[in-house]
Amino acid sequence: MTLVDFDEAPTKRWLGTDLDDWTRQVVRRHFDPVAGSPYWLSRRPHLDFDPLEITRYEELSAFGPFSLARLRELDPAALVPLDVPRPLAGRIWESGGTTGAPCRVFYTAAMADHHSQWRRFGLELTGFERGRTWLYACPSGPHIVGRGANQIAEMYDSTVYTMDLDPRWIKQLIRNNHLAIMNTYVEHTIEQMTDILETGRINYLETTPAIMQALINRRPELVAGLSGVGLGGTQLSPVMYKEIAAALHGGVIGATYGNTFGCATGLPAGQGGAVLPYLPNFPQVTMAVVDRDDPERIVEYGETGQVRLTVLHEDLFLPNILERDQAERFDTGAAWPCDGVANVRPLQITQAAPEGLY
């Protein structure tokens, strides 16, 4: 595999970034005594090391794990460096709220642009054609995934249909064991999709693996008429991938993994769909697979462990987030600048933290 030429797109430059240089730049920005981010400046006196002396990416382990629970109470503006002009103008985005109240972060203009450029990167890498018609069956509202409809329309010269989807309602129904009502909502979701798909105008569908499976079970002929699908949200397992590939009859399959804080783009599936790898949106996002009992130890290639996420945006610094996912450490080879993760799945699915539709 060789690095795709994206006509000098920013992603090409980012993929060539030296991670140690980038780490120094981001940490110095957030801990700058005058222009740094209020939260990290408030934390500096409580650290037992000088963050301005960090020179290498590996040294970020000194911060220890960053608990996302802090983002439930913290003013999102406190994480944004002070040299971003105030008053801040932009969107607050939320996590899915699977493990409790949603966590929130502010996206600056630079962060929104990064998100969009990586989105374009994934579309081109997968092989989606420009100028086609999409159905975007994903959450919107406070969920950053909802930006994807406009990104596809504006950056990929496409026409995009959208629909309503409330993933938190599904998860609440599962928690409370209201399975009959949940099934009614699933039917409502599929009805919205089929109403649009039956027009015959849709080339590509963006949705979750769980919704895709429900659509295949109910209306396989509509899936067979698609040219491809983009999948994200709930886990995509090799079994799911093979089922979806068979239903598409040769259509392209793209995938993303991540959340409001950091995302990864799906690389081509390996071994006939048995290996589903992802490349973090480097260098703003890195992912490591670590020992569940020792989160500072990165496991060997092919070994399974817990996903550890680090966000290294110029405008958002969140080190060493221990995700509620496990994955295999994936060797991306010489084509890409960092490790990937593969075959991502939940650490544990419980009634309190269900997967749901998204």
Side-chain angles (χ1 to χ4, degrees):
M1 181 187 298
T2 58
L3 198 62
V4 180
D5 185 355
F6 294 114
D7 299 323
E8 301 305 319
T11 46
K12 187 174 183 179
R13 182 178 72 253
W14 295 331
L15 287 166
T17 299
D18 181 272
L19 187 55
D20 290 336
D21 287 345
W22 183 259
T23 298
R24 289 191 292 272
Q25 176 181 329
V26 170
V27 172
R28 283 172 172 76
R29 175 171 168 81
H30 284 272
F31 284 92
D32 182 278
V34 175
S37 54
Y39 171 77
W40 286 112
L41 290 177
S42 72
R43 290 293 305 150
R44 186 175 181 182
H46 306 285
L47 300 174
D48 58 4
F49 63 96
D50 185 353
L52 295 179
E53 293 182 356
I54 284 179
T55 60
R56 295 183 296 109
Y57 172 80
E58 288 76 12
E59 294 171 354
L60 294 178
S61 63
F63 285 98
F66 183 90
S67 173
L68 289 180
R70 300 178 196 176
L71 302 183
R72 295 190 174 110
E73 302 294 335
L74 187 66
D75 179 355
L79 288 163
V80 181
L82 292 170
D83 62 355
V84 176
R86 262 59 173 183
L88 295 175
R91 289 285 302 271
I92 302 292
W93 299 102
E94 297 185 355
S95 66
T98 298
T99 57
C103 303
R104 299 175 177 89
V105 292
F106 178 88
Y107 262 53
T108 65
M111 292 172 62
D113 180 62
H114 289 168
H115 188 266
S116 294
Q117 293 295 340
W118 282 114
R119 179 63 171 156
R120 177 187 170 214
F121 170 90
L123 293 169
E124 293 183 341
L125 182 66
T126 300
F128 289 111
E129 296 182 9
R130 291 175 176 271
R132 308 300 288 274
T133 302
W134 292 68
L135 168 58
Y136 200 79
C138 296
S140 55
H143 307 282
I144 196 166
V145 66
R147 295 188 73 233
N150 284 349
Q151 290 168 334
I152 292 171
E154 296 166 7
M155 301 184 68
Y156 230 61
D157 308 319
S158 299
T159 302
V160 183
Y161 290 78
T162 59
M163 51 171 275
D164 292 324
L165 179 64
D166 185 350
R168 292 178 185 165
W169 178 234
I170 281 285
K171 291 175 182 179
Q172 183 173 333
L173 293 174
I174 295 172
R175 289 189 189 99
N176 295 323
N177 205 32
H178 296 320
L179 300 185
I181 301 175
M182 183 201 72
N183 289 331
T184 300
Y185 189 81
V186 172
E187 293 300 328
H188 169 64
T189 299
I190 298 300
E191 285 174 6
Q192 292 181 81
M193 298 174 69
T194 56
D195 179 61
I196 298 171
L197 292 172
E198 284 177 339
T199 66
R201 306 182 191 119
I202 304 301
N203 305 117
Y204 298 131
L205 169 64
E206 179 84 11
T207 191
T208 73
I211 295 175
M212 191 68 188
Q213 283 188 305
L215 181 62
I216 291 171
N217 290 336
R218 290 162 176 79
R219 299 296 300 272
E221 78 282 4
L222 294 179
V223 176
L226 295 169
S227 299
V229 296
L231 301 168
T234 51
Q235 65 161 322
L236 175 61
S237 70
V239 171
M240 288 177 170
Y241 180 91
K242 292 174 183 178
E243 178 186 351
I244 293 168
L248 281 171
H249 300 297
V252 298
I253 302 177
T256 58
Y257 162 64
N259 51 37
T260 304
F261 315 107
C263 294
T265 299
L267 295 175
Q271 301 179 26
V275 179
L276 303 174
Y278 299 87
L279 175 78
N281 293 355
F282 182 92
Q284 298 96 351
V285 174
T286 60
M287 293 176 179
V289 181
V290 301
D291 189 321
R292 290 183 63 174
D293 298 320
D294 180 9
E296 290 191 18
R297 185 185 79 84
I298 297 175
V299 303
E300 300 297 324
Y301 287 118
E303 187 179 345
T304 298
Q306 187 170 8
V307 177
R308 189 183 72 194
L309 168 73
T310 290
V311 181
L312 277 171
H313 281 287
E314 301 101 315
D315 297 337
L316 181 65
F317 175 53
L318 303 174
N320 308 317
I321 298 168
L322 295 175
E323 295 280 37
R324 58 184 184 89
D325 299 316
Q326 60 183 332
E328 298 165 12
R329 183 185 177 193
F330 182 76
D331 185 357
T332 59
W336 308 106
C338 64
D339 283 349
V341 298
N343 294 357
V344 181
R345 61 267 193 203
L347 276 172
Q348 183 179 16
I349 299 176
T350 66
Q351 196 78 352
E355 279 289 281
L357 289 180
Y358 198 93

